[in-house]
Structures are given as structure tokens and as C-alpha cells.
Amino acid sequence: MGGEAPEPGRLTRALSILDGSGVPEEALHLVLAHVDDPRDREAASLACRRWHRIDALTRKHVTVPFCYAVSPARLLARFPRLESLAVKGKPRAAMFGLIPDDWGAYAAPWVAELAAPLECLKALHLRRMVVTDADLEALVRARGHMLQELKLDKCSGFSTDALRLVARSCSRSLRTLFLEDCTITDNGTEWLHDLAANNPVLVTLNFYLTYLRVVPADLELLARNCKSLISLKISDCDLSDLIGFFQIATSLEEFAGAEISEQRELTKYADVKLPSKLCSFGLTFMGTNEMHIIFPFSAVLKKLDLQYTFLTTEDHCQLIAKCPNLLVLAVRNVIGDRGLVIVADTCKKLQRLRIERGDDDPGMQEEEGGVSQVGLTALAVGCRELESIAAYVSDITNGALESIGTFCKNLYDFRIVLLDKQERITDLPLDNGVRELLRGCTKLRRFALYLRPGGLSDVGLSYIGQHSGIIQYMLLGNLGETDGGLISFAAGCRNLRKLELRSCCFSERALALAMLQMPSLRYVWVQGYRASQTGGDLMLMARPFWNIEFTPPSTENAGRPMEEDGQPCIDRHAQVLAYCSLTGKRSDYPQYVVPLHPA
Amino acid sequence: MRMPQLATTHVLPHHLLSPSLITDSSSFSSSSLVSIKNPASATPAPATTQSIDPAQLVEPADRGHRSPPPKPSLQSMATGSATKDSAAAPRRFALACGALSQFVKASGAAASVAAAAQETHGPPAEGAQQLTIFYGGRVVVLDGCTPARAAELILYATAAATPAALPPMLVDVPIARKMSLQRFLSKRKDRCVPEVEMAPPPPPAKKGKTEASSWLALGSLGDMHAQ
């Protein structure tokens, strides 16, 4: 268009939206390029064929929330110019050892069918999937020249050999290599050396919780070569071996991992000087005598991970009192109510808090630990900016939940698990508290409530449905009393997309009927319910594009993984997994999974 | 215990009341119906002459009760062995138990009417009557079975007749641990921490066991929690 104002008639025509041909293609491209939210994108793509096509060509990122919902081929046809793809595989229960390794969620078809044809792809994120060395080989062959971001998140099935290949093939472009909590076969430390030697633009490296061996000299090489490195999370390597690394990595802002291998060796760690810009920190096995390492920069600390430390309740109190700028805090419940009160008084900007479950055994210096309504209430009143709370609590009251509803107006993620150690809980059922929390926290999108029998009545369960608002994901455990509770819950959940139920009292029939009532539901996982041997009643929810997979209850544990003490992780309880799918029955299910529909 | 909530639509099929159904005990197979004999009724209870649609009989299992199969107190009663080859057998059994319950209610009312009307009859206390059970070729006769007790027996019987073998209730599903934390906690145990005295491991939590036994009640979970 030139600089002249068009004549009125022509102007009307040019701006006409109803007549799509009036608006130039380029303009639409530009406008849609600024539309990032996938829901807005979806709405735009439904306006007309032209907008659909432009959305398809300009969509930069897609997350496939469940790998069996859609086929790679279909994704390719829909979004041929994708730059970034995230695919999620196994049910979340896999993080708790409840899903066997051979359950499925293989990356192979995704890599095979997309790595080459998606010519713009530069970022790939796979979560809870099985990824082999061959898959990674295929990926780097196709995309190595431009791959910027590779995130393998809680994946398994590959080895350090594949990492060597990645390190050597993506040298000009790799900015992020994320391997946190993956199960990786350790065939040597060369991969880290190769990475350090060949990837000068590396910004983020994370192999936290992988238990890979580390050679400190390779980390020093990394620090020397990767001037842009700002985030490093490693596996176990004694902190004293990193003195050299920290001296070189002056730009480092985030560090986690390493370990204190010898407690109370004051001289050993005396020379550790952490980089000046560090504002995110976590140190494995850190104890009372080592936590002073944090003191010099505690005032600027934004993220602190104490989940894997040996700190006592008192230590938590002392340390957190020095961290007024914390945004993200992760601890075990050894922090205790006392520690939470300190958090409430000190960390006024806190956005995300995770309180994990500690050891049940006595003698682990966690006697003072355990979080209750006392700590939660203090937290609610003190930390008004909280957006995400995940906590294992030992005791709870309606009042604590009400307080959260009253004060934490920014909460979008709330998860609470009531531990089973304490016989009597102060104030059950939690019907009213849950109602007030849901009514108060209007931005809530993710919600988990795991109690015990008696924790929430049918009425309380109906409250959850009634006040579910915009919640998209829920995990419910040990809630409700009868099938009626589930049905009334389901009647209220308009926006619920993903539901996980565990240890519940509902019949198969009620489950099926409840699923039918939730209009947005596209994924449901259940373990621990009144299962039959065949899952027959589940067929009540059979309908097109809705897959139902049933794992029958069994007394054998053949093929199931074992815990370290020899106890089988997976008990004999049936599992149900039902999900929206455009691909029909999956072809890679193991023998203990029965596809009910499509059969 | 509380009276179980039995379906109010239970009605007695007309033909079941015919005396011809009460045959010789030896001819009964394991899938026989429970037979009801009530010699104490002086007045014909109105309920016995109602016309019935058997289709209205509701299977106990549908009522959404959380009843596990507890051991019944009577030795001669089946303990879950009603779940034989055919699904029809337990269903008929359940129907019969429903019939029994209806009759018990009706004759409970009738007996109290009878007791009020005829004092010289020497009625047993609170509508207690004789209960006869035919099962598996054996006969048990209970004198002085109150309606409440009869209802209790029905509960045991219907629970035993439930088709699906339900696993023990869901308190047995332990709260799962995240594997990453599990690994950390066992590593911590392995490490030598001299000044911390390792107390002997605590006895396993008894919570599961006590709550399983309280599942007998069909009442609200609040009752269980209060124990």
C-alpha cells in the first residue's frame, strides 16, 4: 500500500473482513504471528479456511499432551512449519513407579516421521517417553545442523553414546540440553567432554538426577568454552572438585546438583566461591555445617532447592530467614510449621512452593518436621503472591484451606496430599474448606487433593465439581463416599480436560457415566477403584475417538518393576486409561494392557 | 450396626409364596432360593398378596454400597461360595434375599400388629420370628430372629452373592512415593551419619487393618474416621 489514503469505497473493501480477499495475506500472517496462546490460535483457525491455513503455516509451537492422541503424520499435515514440538508420553504415575518400562510412549515414530519433514524444527521436548540411541541418532541426522533445544524430560532408553553424538552434531546451534531425571545408561564421561569442546553457544545444561559420572575437568572446559552458560544442573560430583569451575563460570546464574560427600569437613569446602550472579541454587546432601556457603548471596537468591539436603527444621529456619527475595522454594516437609512461618514472614515475593514428602522413619533428624494447618495458614496470610503450592501435609483443617482461598488470589496450581502417618486429623471432612478454596482461587487451573477415607464426603466432592471453574487438571485421591458423589462431581466440571483418580470407592459403571458427563474431558487415568476382572462396565463410555485401555487387577507381578528393597512397585490394582484419540487403538500396547475400545 | 438400606422396590414374586416351593431339603442344589417359613403369623400380612414384577427386583450390587464380603456369623451360610459358575445363581440368590427382606419388613409389621391384637399368643419380643434357611442340602432354623437380625443376615448373604470378586477396599493403595525422592532417601540411609542414633524401625502402620474391619458399616465414612 502506498502512502495515499485510499478512496472511501476502496478503503471499505480493503478492510472488509467478511470478504477475506480484502486483507492481504502478509497482513494476516503478521497479525497471527502475534497470537501465541494456543486457545486463541485454535479459535482463529476455525474462522475460515484461509485463517486455518495461515494458522497452520505460522504456528510456531505445539504441545501434544498425550502421544497417542494424534499421529505424527497428522501433526505434520496440520503444522508443517513447526519450529518447536513438545510431546508427552506415559501417565504421570510413571514418576511414582506405577507404570512399567514397557508400557509404551516410544519416541521412535515421532522422530522417524517428523525429524526430517519438519524443516523448521529447532526445539524438541519429550516428556516421560522411551527414547533410544537410534532415535537420537535419527534426530541429529535430520536436525543436528539447526537443533537449538533438546529436552528429554524423565525419559529413558538411551545411553551416553547418543549424547556424544548430540554433542558432536549440534555444535553450532545447541543452546539447551536438558536431561533431568532421565534414566541413562552410563557408557563413559566422554559425552560431557565432547559437549564442552564443541558447543560454544550452550546456555543451559541440565543432567540433574541422572547419576551420570562427572569429570570436574570437563566442567571446567565447559565453563571456559561456553561463555553464555547461565544455567548448570549436574549429577553427583563433590562440591570441592568444582572450585575451579566456579572460578571460571563467572556468568553462571543457576546451579544445582553436586554433593557434599563428607559432612562437617570444614576445610574441604572453605575455598568454594560461588559466582557472583548466582541466584538459583541447590546442593545435594548439604548439611548444617555447609549451608553457610549460601549466606553470601542468600539476599539475592530467587530459587532454592533444598529437597535433597540434610538440613534440619532449625537449619531451614535460619537459612530461609536470610532469603527475602525468594520466588521459588522446594523443600521436604522437614521444614515443619516453624519453617513455614519463617517463609511467610520473610519471602513476601514467593510464587512457587513445593513441600515434598520426607522420610517416615525416625532417627533421620526430622522429628520436628511435618507441615500442618498452622504452617499453611501462616503461608497463606504471608505470601500473597503465591501462584503454585504443592504440599504433603501431616494434618489439615477447613480453616487452612479457607485461608488459602481468601488470601492466595493468584493461585493457579494447588496440590495437597494428606499423609497417612497421623491417625487422627484435626478437622475432617474438608468439604467446606475445599469449597471456600475453590471459590476464592478463581485462577486455579490445576488442582490435586489426596486425602483418606472420611476426608471428603460426597457433598464435598460435588463442591469440587460445582466450583471447578477453569480447572483443567485434577488429581483426586481417596475422596467421596459413593458413586453418587462422583456423578455429582462430574456434573459440575465444565472445563476439566485431564483427570487422575486414585484409591477411590467408585464402581466401573459410575466411572464410565461420570466421564460421559464432562464435556472437555480428553484424558482420564484411574488406579484403585472397584474394578471388575474384565472392565466390562467401562464400555458404557465407549464412543468414537475415545480410547479405553484397561489393565486388569492381578495377583502376579510378572514383568513389573521392583523397588530397591525388593518390594514390587505395582500392586494388583486395576488401571484404566481413557483418552481422546484420532488414531484408533495403539499398536504398541504390552500384553497386560487390554484395549477395550476400540477393541 | 445400622439397618442396611435395602431397596424399597423389593417385592415378593407371587409364586415364591406357594408352599409347594418348600421342598425336601435333599433336592436342593447350591443355587436354590432361600425359602421362607413363618408359622407364627396369625394374620395374613397384606404384603404377601401383592402382585409382583420380578423385573423390579434390584440387585444389591447396583446400589453403590461399599460392602466388602465379611465373614458371616452363621457357619451354615455360604461365604462367597454362591459365586459359582453361572452369573444367574448369585442373581437369584440376591433376588431371594431381597424377597426375604421385604417379607421380614412386612411380617415385622404384621407381627407387632398381631402381638398387640392377641396378647395371649405369647409373642416373642419385638416381632422376633422363626427363620429357616435352606442351603446346599442343609437346613437351619432360627427361633427368635428379629427383623433387625434377619436384615443383618441378608446383608451378609447379599455381600457374599456379589458377582465380582472385589479386591479389599482402597485404603490398601498406599500413597505412592516419587522415585527421585525415594532414591535420595535411600542414599541418605546408606550414608554413615555417626551422631544420629538410628532408632529401631517403627512397627508397620496399623491403619490399613483397622479401617478394613470397619468397612462392615454401610454408613458414612465419617463413622469410620471417628474410630
Side-chain angles (χ1 to χ4, degrees):
Chain A
M1 303 257 162
E4 313 141 348
E7 292 159 10
R10 285 229 232 126
L11 182 65
T12 310
R13 189 159 173 265
L15 291 180
S16 164
I17 301 172
L18 296 169
D19 171 23
S21 59
V23 181
E25 208 62 17
E26 305 84 54
L28 270 180
H29 274 260
L30 285 172
V31 168
L32 277 179
H34 289 280
V35 178
D36 290 325
D37 189 294
R39 285 162 293 181
D40 293 340
R41 277 271 179 171
E42 195 187 322
S45 71
L46 293 173
C48 63
R49 269 194 243 274
R50 198 157 160 246
W51 285 37
H52 182 97
R53 198 183 73 242
I54 294 178
D55 166 56
L57 294 173
T58 57
R59 190 83 73 108
K60 298 275 191 301
H61 171 82
V62 162
T63 298
V64 179
F66 185 50
C67 59
Y68 293 112
V70 67
S71 68
R74 197 176 181 116
L75 184 73
L76 177 64
R78 178 78 173 85
F79 301 112
R81 300 234 201 116
L82 219 49
E83 294 181 13
S84 163
L85 173 64
V87 185
K88 300 185 187 176
K90 295 180 185 174
R92 281 183 69 256
M95 296 191 290
F96 299 86
L98 299 172
I99 307 286
D101 285 339
D102 61 345
W103 177 89
Y106 302 104
W110 295 88
V111 174
E113 295 179 49
L114 295 178
L118 280 179
E119 293 170 348
C120 306
L121 191 70
K122 49 189 187 185
L124 183 63
H125 179 182
L126 303 176
R127 189 168 163 95
R128 288 191 295 267
M129 296 188 76
V130 177
V131 183
T132 62
D133 282 0
D135 296 331
L136 290 173
E137 203 180 327
L139 178 67
V140 300
R141 207 177 20 240
R143 301 248 64 78
H145 60 286
M146 57 184 280
L147 194 66
Q148 291 185 9
E149 208 175 281
L150 179 59
K151 286 183 170 177
L152 303 173
D153 184 356
K154 299 176 181 54
C155 294
S156 62
F158 61 101
S159 77
T160 49
D161 297 337
L163 294 180
R164 282 195 79 178
L165 196 59
V166 170
R168 292 196 308 261
S169 314
C170 309
S171 43
R172 278 191 303 278
S173 50
L174 197 65
R175 285 171 171 58
T176 298
L177 181 60
F178 179 105
L179 305 166
E180 185 169 316
D181 211 2
C182 283
T183 307
I184 308 174
T185 306
D186 193 349
N187 291 339
T189 61
E190 294 86 356
W191 71 275
L192 186 55
H193 182 90
D194 289 347
L195 194 71
N198 295 302
N199 293 272
V201 298
L202 200 63
V203 172
T204 302
L205 174 61
N206 182 331
F207 54 101
Y208 201 29
L209 306 173
T210 58
Y211 308 101
L212 295 172
R213 280 165 294 149
V214 176
V215 172
D218 291 337
L219 288 176
E220 288 178 27
L221 184 64
L222 190 76
R224 266 198 298 279
N225 288 353
C226 306
K227 291 298 172 201
S228 314
L229 191 73
I230 57 173
S231 170
L232 179 69
K233 294 192 181 182
I234 65 172
S235 54
D236 307 328
C237 164
D238 189 62
L239 188 69
S240 59
D241 292 336
L242 295 176
I243 292 171
F245 166 78
F246 286 129
Q247 280 170 350
I248 308 167
T250 49
S251 310
L252 202 68
E253 295 174 18
E254 174 167 52
F255 179 81
E259 65 170 23
I260 301 291
S261 47
E262 289 176 58
Q263 245 67 30
R264 297 171 314 286
E265 277 290 324
L266 298 175
T267 50
K268 195 172 179 185
Y269 303 110
D271 293 332
V272 174
K273 294 268 184 320
L274 295 168
S276 58
K277 292 192 194 167
L278 207 62
C279 58
S280 168
F281 188 72
L283 179 57
T284 308
F285 303 152
M286 182 172 66
T288 315
N289 296 294
E290 293 85 38
M291 68 178 189
H292 66 272
I293 291 171
I294 303 183
F295 293 173
F297 62 101
S298 62
V300 299
L301 210 52
K302 291 189 191 154
K303 294 187 190 178
L304 186 57
D305 184 357
L306 303 175
Q307 293 176 97
Y308 309 103
T309 62
F310 291 163
L311 300 181
T312 63
T313 307
E314 176 60 33
D315 292 337
H316 280 81
C317 293
Q318 278 189 28
L319 178 55
I320 292 169
K322 298 183 195 296
C323 305
N325 286 305
L326 268 188
L327 299 177
V328 178
L329 176 64
V331 295
R332 294 193 318 279
N333 59 357
V334 63
I335 190 175
D337 283 334
R338 241 187 357 118
L340 275 193
V341 169
I342 304 288
V343 172
D345 286 341
T346 316
C347 310
K348 294 301 184 188
K349 301 180 190 173
L350 197 66
Q351 291 173 358
R352 305 171 61 89
L353 175 65
R354 171 165 282 274
I355 305 174
E356 274 292 347
R357 178 186 185 186
D359 216 313
D360 290 339
D361 290 348
M364 289 278 125
Q365 292 188 307
E366 296 197 356
E367 283 76 19
E368 267 191 276
V371 164
S372 76
Q373 60 274 10
V374 171
L376 277 184
T377 308
L379 189 71
V381 172
C383 300
R384 309 286 176 98
E385 305 302 314
L386 276 169
E387 296 172 5
S388 167
I389 301 175
Y392 284 81
V393 299
S394 309
D395 196 1
I396 189 76
T397 59
N398 282 283
L401 297 177
E402 280 181 49
S403 299
I404 294 173
T406 306
F407 296 109
C408 299
K409 293 299 185 189
N410 288 327
L411 214 54
Y412 74 83
D413 190 338
F414 180 76
R415 310 184 197 205
I416 200 152
V417 176
L418 179 61
L419 291 172
D420 52 13
K421 219 170 74 163
Q422 196 170 305
E423 198 70 33
R424 285 200 68 92
I425 300 301
T426 302
D427 184 16
L428 290 184
L430 294 175
D431 296 6
N432 293 337
V434 169
R435 186 192 62 218
E436 293 313 311
L437 187 146
L438 293 175
R439 281 176 54 177
C441 299
T442 52
K443 296 187 189 172
L444 215 54
R445 297 201 300 271
R446 293 204 267 276
F447 179 70
L449 187 62
Y450 202 113
L451 302 178
R452 55 173 68 176
L456 199 79
S457 73
D458 279 348
V459 171
L461 195 47
S462 73
Y463 287 159
I464 298 183
Q466 209 181 326
H467 301 285
S468 59
I470 56 170
I471 297 178
Q472 295 178 358
Y473 162 75
M474 280 200 206
L475 162 64
L476 306 179
N478 273 319
L479 301 188
E481 304 161 279
T482 69
D483 286 346
L486 180 67
I487 301 294
S488 48
F489 156 79
C493 287
R494 308 240 55 79
N495 292 301
L496 193 65
R497 295 175 150 200
K498 180 171 173 180
L499 176 64
E500 293 174 343
L501 291 173
R502 194 153 185 270
S503 187
C504 53
C505 58
F506 313 122
S507 64
E508 252 164 22
R509 190 183 151 84
L511 281 175
L513 294 175
M515 299 312 124
L516 287 174
Q517 290 198 53
M518 292 187 269
S520 305
L521 193 73
R522 59 186 190 188
Y523 179 105
V524 58
W525 178 85
V526 187
Q527 189 203 27
Y529 72 103
R530 289 168 54 200
S532 67
Q533 274 305 122
T534 58
D537 274 348
L538 295 172
M539 289 303 287
L540 285 168
M541 61 171 169
R543 56 197 176 176
F545 306 118
W546 183 249
N547 287 11
I548 307 172
E549 295 179 14
F550 179 65
T551 304
S554 107
T555 49
E556 304 143 16
N557 288 300
R560 309 287 172 93
M562 312 286 266
E563 280 184 11
E564 280 157 55
D565 58 354
Q567 291 303 310
C569 299
I570 298 184
D571 49 28
R572 54 197 160 86
H573 292 273
Q575 280 188 35
V576 179
L577 178 64
Y579 52 94
C580 281
S581 177
L582 299 173
T583 63
K585 182 170 77 168
R586 64 174 170 124
S587 56
D588 56 9
Y589 55 90
Q591 50 92 12
Y592 49 83
V593 169
V594 177
L596 289 181
H597 179 83
Chain B
M1 58 164 267
R2 280 172 42 170
M3 280 288 281
Q5 301 257 264
L6 296 168
T8 52
T9 55
H10 278 210
V11 283
L12 204 55
H14 216 133
H15 64 279
L16 281 185
L17 297 166
S18 160
S20 62
L21 259 203
I22 304 171
T23 63
D24 183 68
S25 60
S26 58
S27 69
F28 269 70
S29 68
S30 59
S31 55
S32 308
L33 298 172
V34 169
S35 177
I36 302 158
K37 204 164 68 155
N38 185 8
S41 62
T43 53
T48 61
T49 55
Q50 284 171 8
S51 64
I52 291 73
D53 176 12
Q56 285 185 313
L57 284 164
V58 174
E59 277 198 76
D62 283 351
R63 271 177 270 125
H65 286 145
R66 308 180 60 160
S67 47
K71 246 183 144 44
S73 51
L74 269 194
Q75 292 309 308
S76 61
M77 287 201 58
T79 52
S81 53
T83 56
K84 298 285 193 204
D85 338 89
S86 66
R91 194 177 300 122
R92 283 210 298 281
F93 190 44
L95 291 179
C97 293
L100 173 61
S101 76
Q102 184 71 7
F103 187 77
V104 159
K105 274 195 209 161
S107 50
S112 55
V113 165
Q118 299 177 16
E119 284 129 351
T120 56
H121 215 255
E126 281 160 357
Q129 305 175 61
Q130 195 177 74
L131 174 67
T132 307
I133 300 171
F134 292 79
Y135 191 87
R138 291 151 85 190
V139 181
V140 174
V141 178
L142 304 168
D143 290 321
C145 186
T146 62
R149 188 103 180 101
E152 198 179 323
L153 292 168
I154 293 161
L155 177 66
Y156 289 151
T158 54
T162 314
L166 300 175
M169 291 323 282
L170 305 143
V171 289
D172 285 350
V173 180
I175 299 173
R177 282 192 178 276
K178 219 173 199 176
M179 296 204 305
S180 51
L181 269 163
Q182 183 81 341
R183 284 191 295 259
F184 164 75
L185 292 173
S186 37
K187 272 194 168 188
R188 185 172 70 157
K189 277 206 181 86
D190 291 343
R191 283 169 71 102
C192 181
V193 188
E195 88 268 36
V196 174
E197 251 183 318
M198 292 294 292
K206 290 280 193 281
K207 176 198 78 78
K209 295 196 177 66
T210 51
E211 295 205 80
S213 62
S214 62
W215 273 103
L216 291 175
L218 293 180
S220 83
L221 291 167
D223 295 340
M224 268 178 41
H225 168 68
Q227 288 174 3

